[in-house]
Amino acid sequence: MNVIIEFIIVSGLFAVAYMLFFRMETRHGLNRAYLLGSLVLSSVLPFLPKMFGAINTPQIISVLLPTALIGASTESGTATANAGSTSIIVWLWLIGSTIVLVRSIWGIYRILRLNKRQEVIADQTVNITNGNHPPFSFFNGIFIPEKHDFDQKEIRKIVLHESSHTRLLHGMDLLLLQVFHIICWWNPFIYLYRKLLQETHEYQADAHVIQREDPIDYSRFLLANANALPRMTLAHQFFTQPLKSRI
């Protein structure tokens, strides 16, 4: 239990430090590295004292003496109560992890079951689907609905943006966060980490687009399409928040 509390505290301190000192920085690659590194580090740090303590603790030779049974029933009852509490906590953890895992698998299934055909747009292979969803990328795939209101220039902007996600392997970051989410769903800062990391991903992709497109025109395009459909699991959705800070 102490390890869980320490993990929550350490990850929270790292997240707060990021929001205070690094969030407004434009070195998005370093911000991404900080978020990923600090999350992994915060999950390891609570175990280090115990690991080094086990290594440095000298062996103690103990001698067993006859044990008096006075108060044995009370101690046995306390041990049983502690075991029962631990069992309840473990079951709650397993139930929560199972729910998150099932939702993750369902989100991936929704993407894989989309009917699609491939086209080449802006030198990128794009999956044109029959689904009702906003444009998004999923690992190395770019998905755009067949029915949309975008012209060719706007489609090019979308493809450039989403291709940045695939080229920078942002999908692997989301996969790592989802693993943490499944195992550590009880840590409230996991959700904050995911939000901050997705925000950094969007900044990186936007920076790539404005190197090849007019920044003002691109900003207007984002504002004109601010109302997007809900996000898919492990996917990068083009029209995602926070739009104001992306412009």
Side-chain angles (χ1 to χ4, degrees):
M1 184 64 68
N2 290 338
V3 172
I4 293 176
I5 296 174
E6 290 173 8
F7 174 41
I8 294 175
I9 293 174
V10 174
S11 60
L13 290 175
F14 275 127
V16 170
Y18 174 83
M19 296 182 70
L20 290 177
F21 303 110
F22 303 109
R23 191 178 187 182
M24 302 307 296
E25 295 290 332
T26 57
R27 294 173 292 183
H28 306 306
L30 291 178
N31 289 355
R32 176 189 179 189
Y34 174 92
L35 289 171
L36 293 173
S38 63
L39 180 58
V40 173
L41 187 61
S42 64
S43 66
V44 173
L45 282 177
F47 293 97
L48 292 182
K50 297 175 178 58
M51 293 172 58
F52 287 107
I55 295 174
N56 297 326
T57 300
Q59 293 184 350
I60 300 175
I61 300 175
S62 59
V63 178
L64 296 178
L65 299 175
T67 303
L69 298 178
I70 299 175
S73 59
T74 303
E75 294 178 1
S76 176
T78 302
T80 303
N82 291 336
S85 300
T86 302
S87 178
I88 293 174
I89 292 173
V90 170
W91 275 109
L92 289 175
W93 170 67
L94 289 175
I95 292 172
S97 295
T98 301
I99 292 173
V100 178
L101 177 61
V102 170
R103 291 182 60 186
S104 301
I105 294 174
W106 172 247
I108 295 173
Y109 172 72
R110 288 176 57 202
I111 295 175
L112 296 180
R113 73 173 181 172
L114 289 171
N115 293 324
K116 50 188 176 294
R117 57 182 173 82
Q118 293 187 332
E119 292 185 8
V120 177
I121 303 174
D123 299 325
Q124 301 292 328
T125 301
V126 178
N127 297 291
I128 308 299
T129 76
N130 63 347
N132 181 26
H133 58 80
F136 69 92
S137 60
F138 177 69
F139 288 96
N140 63 341
I142 300 173
F143 298 80
I144 296 177
E146 186 173 20
K147 296 180 180 180
H148 58 73
D149 299 323
F150 310 123
D151 58 33
Q152 292 300 316
K153 291 183 178 180
E154 292 171 338
I155 288 293
R156 172 182 166 82
K157 293 182 177 65
I158 293 173
V159 172
L160 287 175
H161 179 96
E162 299 303 329
S163 65
S164 299
H165 288 309
T166 62
R167 180 174 55 85
L168 293 172
L169 302 179
H170 287 165
M172 299 303 295
D173 295 0
L174 294 187
L175 179 60
L176 176 63
L177 260 294
Q178 197 64 19
V179 171
F180 270 97
H181 185 196
I182 293 170
I183 300 174
C184 309
W185 56 268
W186 33 263
N187 186 344
F189 295 104
I190 293 296
Y191 306 90
L192 177 59
Y193 263 95
R194 181 167 59 183
K195 176 183 177 181
L196 294 173
L197 189 61
Q198 288 175 335
E199 179 183 89
T200 301
H201 288 171
E202 298 306 321
Y203 291 151
Q204 283 189 297
D206 289 338
H208 173 71
V209 175
I210 62 178
Q211 289 177 354
R212 305 177 62 176
E213 298 287 331
D214 179 59
I216 297 178
D217 186 45
Y218 182 65
S219 299
R220 290 172 179 170
F221 177 50
L222 289 178
L223 280 177
N225 295 275
N227 297 322
L229 297 178
R231 171 180 296 278
M232 291 183 172
T233 302
L234 293 176
H236 287 94
Q237 184 176 304
F238 181 75
F239 301 113
T240 190
Q241 302 295 331
L243 285 178
K244 289 184 179 180
S245 57
R246 289 175 60 190
I247 297 172

